[in-house]
Amino acid sequence: MAEETGRNFIHEIIDADLESGRISQVITRFPPEPNGYLHIGHAKSINLNFSTAIKYGGKCFLRFDDTNPAKEDDEYIQSIKKDVQWLGFEWEEIRFASDYFEFMYEMAVRLIKKGLAYVCDLTAEEIRDYRGTLTEPGKNSPYRERRIEENLQLFEEMRAGKYADGEKVLRAKIDMASPNLNMRDPIIYRILRATHHRTGDDWLIYPMYDYAHPLGDAMEKITHSICTLEFEDHRPLYDWVVDNTDQDPKPHQYEFARLNLTQTIMSKRYLKKLVDEKVVDGWDDPRMPTISGLRRKGYTPEAIKDFCQRIGVAKANSEVDVKLLEHCVREDLNNRALRRMTVLEPLLLEIVNYPEGKTETLVSDNHPMLPEAGTREMTFSKYIYIEQADFMENPPGKFFRLAPGKEVRLMNAYIVKYEDVVKDQDGNIVKVLVSCDFESKSGGATAGRKVKGTLHWVDKATAVPAVVRQYDYLLKPAEEGERQDFMDRLNENSLMVYENALVEPAVKAAKPGEQFQMVRQGYYACDYKEFTPEKPVLNLIVGLRDSYAKAMQQE
Ligand code: ATP
Ligand code: MG
C-alpha cells in the first residue's frame, strides 16, 4: 500500500521510463492558475509533484498557468508561493505560462502553415451547435477550408486588434466526427481585451488551456506532466499539440484522482464565493480548507504531508474522510505540542481552608512524554477557576466531576472536596466552596490517593483573559439523494467564540502560531494575526477525541 512504501503508479511509470531511456532526469511541475488560494487538494498535487522530483533527484517547476487574465491576480501569486514554501518545498524556478505567449503564437502560426489550424467566424453558440453530441458527429465549420494565406493574415489581424472580442477564434483542424468531443476542432486562441497581470495590454488574443499547457510543459522539458483525472480525455489533444508543433523531447501527461474530502468544499470558485459573500473572514479563515486557512488554524506542514502520503495516489476517484486529516494533525501535535490549561467558561471555586493571600508555585511538565521539553510554573491560591461544565448541583450518575458530596483532583495540584454553593438573588451560581486536602499535593509523598475526576483549572490571581475560538465544519453533512447547493448546507454554528476564557500565565510567552494541547479540551494554536501576550487569541485546531483511530481499530 502507498502508505507503507510511499510508492505509487507514477513511480512505476518513471522507473520504466528511466530503464527504457525515454528520460534521463525527472522533471515535473505544479501548475496552479493564480485565480484563488490553494486548498488541501492542491497540497496533494504539490506533494506528488515535488516529492517525485526529490525522490528521483530531478526538478520541479512552479508554473503559474496565467492564460486567463480576467480572473488572475498578484495577490494569488504571492499566496501560492508562500503556501508551497510553507509546505517545505523548493521549486527549481518560477515560470509563468505568459512567459511563453510569443512561443505559443509562433507555434499557432506553424499549425496554420501546416494546414492544421484555421480562423473561424462562427459565434460561440454556433460553434456549440456545430460540435454535435456524444452520440452525433459534429459538422464542419464553413470556415474550415480557408486558405492558409488567408488564415495567416486573419490570425495576425486578430493579434493586431482588428476584430472585436469573440468575433473570431483560431481552431485546431482535427476531426469533427471524432468520438472524443475535445478533438472536434477545439478552439486554441480567442480574442479578449483584458489587462493581463504580467503582460498588461500587449496581447489581445490568449491561448486556451488545452493548447497552452502542453506547450508550457515542452518549454520546461517536463517529463511527467501530472494532472487530475478529468483531463484524461484531453490527453489526445495534449499529444496532438505536442506532435504537430514538433516538440522534442515530448512531454507526457498522466492523470491521478483528485482529492475529495467529506464535508469539505474543494473548488476555488466556491471558496471564492464564501470569501466574496463574507460567509467567512477571508481566504485564511481557519474554517477554510485552504492551505492558508489550515495554517492559521494551527495545522503543521508535517501533518498535511503525512496526510498526503497516507491517502496515496490512485487512478480512481473517491472521497476521503476529513477525519483522517484531523487524525494526522492530532497525531503530530500529540507528539510535540506543549500542554497548557485553559478555562473557556469560568466558574469560581473558593478554597475555604486555604489562607487568604497565600500563593504557591507549582511546577508541571510541559509534555508528559518529552522530558526535554522542560517544565513550566503555575501558581495556586485560594481562588481558582474551573469549567462551568465541570460542576453540577444535581448530576446524573457517573458524573466524575465536581458535585455535592464529591471530591476531584485539580490537575497537578490538590484534591478538593465540595462544601457548599453560593448563589445570587436569581439563583445563579456565583461560586462553589470547596476544601483542600493538603496531603494530596501532586508529586508529594502522600499524593497516591486516587479520586475519579481530574479537572483543569487556572488560578484567579494569575490567569490571563483570552479569546478562544471553537470551530466546527463549515458544511453540514450532505443529505442523501438530492444534490444540494453548498450554500444551503452552511453550518450556522461553525464558529463559536469564548470571549471570557482564561489561560494559564505560561501561554503569555507563546509565539504567534504556536500550538498547545489544552488539557481535556483539544489542540489550539495562537492566532498568528491577533495573538498578543496581553490578550491571547487561540484557535481550535482539532479536539482530543479521535473517532478516526477508534473506527480503524474496530475494523
Ligand atoms: P479548482 O477546481 O479547485 O479551481 P483547479 O484544478 O482549477 O482547482 P488549478 O490551479 O488549475 O486548480 O490546479 C493546479 C493543480 O492542482 C492542477 O494540476 C490540478 O490538477 C491540481 N488540483 C486541483 N485540485 C485538486 C484536488 N482536489 N486534488 C488533487 N489535485 C488537485
Ligand atoms: Mg483550473
Side-chain angles (χ1 to χ4, degrees):
M1 243 181 91
E3 78 184 67
E4 279 146 26
T5 61
R7 270 188 80 74
N8 58 52
F9 76 93
I10 300 282
H11 299 149
E12 310 288 336
I13 292 169
I14 292 176
D15 288 340
D17 286 343
L18 285 166
E19 194 161 343
S20 73
R22 178 176 90 80
I23 60 162
S24 55
Q25 188 189 26
V26 174
I27 308 179
T28 58
R29 85 286 171 263
F30 171 62
E33 199 181 335
N35 61 353
Y37 281 58
L38 299 181
H39 52 63
I40 181 73
H42 292 110
K44 177 176 179 180
S45 174
I46 293 170
N47 190 62
L48 175 59
N49 280 295
F50 282 92
S51 328
T52 300
I54 293 168
K55 181 179 164 81
Y56 288 95
K59 308 178 195 175
C60 182
F61 286 89
L62 173 59
R63 184 194 319 144
F64 290 102
D65 210 323
D66 56 350
T67 51
N68 185 2
K71 292 189 192 160
E72 293 155 4
D73 198 288
D74 192 60
E75 175 193 350
Y76 301 136
I77 293 177
Q78 299 314 324
S79 75
I80 290 169
K81 289 202 268 191
K82 182 171 170 182
D83 288 349
V84 173
Q85 283 175 322
W86 178 74
L87 284 172
F89 293 114
E90 277 174 52
W91 48 78
E92 174 70 18
E93 259 182 63
I94 292 185
R95 297 287 182 89
F96 291 85
S98 57
D99 294 340
Y100 313 136
F101 279 171
E102 193 62 47
F103 165 71
M104 290 170 185
Y105 180 83
E106 278 167 30
M107 290 302 109
V109 169
R110 181 177 293 184
L111 289 176
I112 295 172
K113 285 184 176 162
K114 286 184 173 186
L116 292 175
Y118 61 97
V119 173
C120 182
D121 300 2
L122 292 180
T123 63
E125 198 181 330
E126 287 166 334
I127 289 180
R128 216 173 310 122
D129 290 344
Y130 273 70
R131 201 167 173 226
T133 62
L134 281 173
T135 49
E136 279 173 45
K139 280 190 302 185
N140 284 350
S141 159
Y143 304 99
R144 199 172 198 262
E145 301 310 329
R146 268 183 167 144
R147 287 174 33 256
I148 290 174
E149 287 67 33
E150 189 186 355
N151 280 318
L152 286 171
Q153 188 189 339
L154 290 172
F155 188 49
E156 210 179 294
E157 288 171 353
M158 280 167 64
R159 177 179 183 168
K162 186 159 176 192
Y163 307 107
D165 289 11
E167 198 178 330
K168 292 186 187 330
V169 291
L170 184 71
R171 298 177 70 175
K173 192 171 178 179
I174 309 179
D175 178 6
M176 289 305 292
S178 170
N180 183 339
L181 267 67
N182 297 305
M183 299 299 270
R184 294 185 186 172
D185 290 10
I187 298 172
I188 59 177
Y189 266 93
R190 59 190 171 139
I191 305 172
L192 181 68
R193 284 169 174 78
T195 302
H196 188 276
H197 72 109
R198 294 186 79 239
T199 58
D201 298 320
D202 291 355
W203 290 89
L204 300 173
I205 54 172
Y206 289 95
M208 302 302 285
Y209 176 89
D210 280 338
Y211 172 74
H213 206 83
L215 292 178
D217 286 344
M219 284 301 271
E220 289 154 20
K221 300 197 169 12
I222 303 300
T223 54
H224 296 80
S225 175
I226 307 169
C227 65
T228 44
L229 273 182
E230 65 277 19
F231 289 99
E232 194 168 13
D233 55 11
H234 296 234
R235 186 169 4 110
L237 178 54
Y238 182 102
D239 291 338
W240 187 94
V241 171
V242 168
D243 290 340
N244 290 295
T245 59
D246 313 305
Q247 301 307 313
D248 180 35
K250 292 182 197 297
H252 287 253
Q253 175 185 302
Y254 304 90
E255 307 87 18
F256 72 104
R258 67 168 43 228
L259 171 67
N260 296 306
L261 270 185
T262 55
Q263 269 174 275
T264 312
I265 311 167
M266 199 108 66
S267 158
K268 276 183 280 187
R269 198 156 58 90
Y270 292 139
L271 295 175
K272 187 167 188 310
K273 187 166 175 179
L274 295 175
V275 174
D276 290 344
E277 297 192 4
K278 302 209 175 350
V279 174
V280 295
D281 172 27
W283 286 95
D284 67 350
D285 185 300
R287 292 166 292 177
M288 293 280 271
T290 51
I291 296 178
S292 48
L294 291 167
R295 174 168 63 233
R296 183 156 182 209
K297 198 174 192 192
Y299 269 70
T300 58
E302 290 79 6
I304 293 175
K305 285 193 277 191
D306 179 34
F307 170 73
C308 293
Q309 282 309 114
R310 290 191 201 213
I311 56 177
V313 181
K315 279 203 81 98
N317 278 320
S318 64
E319 200 176 44
V320 174
D321 192 338
V322 67
K323 295 207 159 52
L324 175 60
L325 178 62
E326 295 168 3
H327 172 75
C328 290
V329 73
R330 190 183 284 115
E331 196 170 89
D332 184 32
L333 292 176
N334 184 35
N335 291 330
R336 54 169 149 169
L338 304 187
R339 274 42 171 179
R340 295 288 181 264
M341 294 204 264
T342 180
V343 172
L344 304 181
E345 295 178 297
L347 169 66
L348 186 63
L349 293 190
E350 179 180 337
I351 305 172
V352 292
N353 58 342
Y354 202 93
E356 192 83 49
K358 175 180 167 175
T359 290
E360 297 176 65
T361 301
L362 307 175
V363 178
S364 301
D365 288 338
N366 274 325
H367 194 291
M369 288 106 73
L370 292 179
E372 64 272 25
T375 57
R376 89 272 196 189
E377 292 186 344
M378 299 175 62
T379 63
F380 188 84
S381 47
K382 188 175 178 71
Y383 300 96
I384 295 290
Y385 284 113
I386 63 166
E387 207 68 65
Q388 282 174 21
D390 283 338
F391 172 74
M392 277 182 95
E393 248 191 309
N394 300 298
K398 297 200 176 161
F399 182 77
F400 300 123
R401 309 179 198 177
L402 191 62
K406 297 205 186 228
E407 284 187 310
V408 290
R409 175 173 292 282
L410 297 176
M411 183 173 282
N412 300 328
Y414 297 98
I415 292 173
V416 295
K417 187 171 142 210
Y418 173 90
E419 296 292 343
D420 204 356
V421 62
V422 178
K423 295 182 181 176
D424 66 13
Q425 291 166 338
D426 304 324
N428 301 312
I429 297 172
V430 176
K431 62 182 172 182
V432 177
L433 307 181
V434 295
S435 58
C436 180
D437 171 0
F438 290 104
E439 303 291 297
S440 67
K441 189 167 176 178
S442 295
T446 52
R449 192 159 77 84
K450 289 260 188 306
V451 288
K452 280 235 164 94
T454 299
L455 307 185
H456 60 277
W457 54 275
V458 292
D459 179 7
K460 180 169 186 274
T462 56
V464 183
V467 174
V468 178
R469 298 192 282 227
Q470 282 318 69
Y471 297 103
D472 196 357
Y473 300 114
L474 206 46
L475 291 192
K476 293 186 273 204
E479 276 166 33
E480 293 286 322
E482 291 260 322
R483 262 187 82 91
Q484 261 178 302
D485 182 343
F486 80 93
M487 289 304 248
D488 297 332
R489 281 175 57 201
L490 289 177
N491 172 8
E492 54 282 2
N493 299 317
S494 59
L495 170 63
M496 192 148 118
V497 185
Y498 292 96
E499 298 279 358
N500 303 313
L502 296 166
V503 293
E504 62 167 281
V507 174
K508 277 203 273 195
K511 294 184 289 292
E514 186 171 354
Q515 299 93 344
F516 294 112
Q517 185 196 97
M518 293 297 177
V519 293
R520 295 184 68 228
Q521 305 275 28
Y523 294 94
Y524 290 82
C526 301
D527 188 275
Y528 64 73
K529 282 187 172 167
E530 294 170 36
F531 177 91
T532 64
E534 297 73 38
K535 186 80 183 194
V537 177
L538 298 170
N539 300 329
L540 174 68
I541 307 167
V542 68
L544 290 176
R545 267 193 42 196
D546 194 339
S547 54
Y548 187 82
K550 246 186 226 153
M552 295 294 281
Q553 274 164 12
Q554 280 161 9
E555 265 173 23

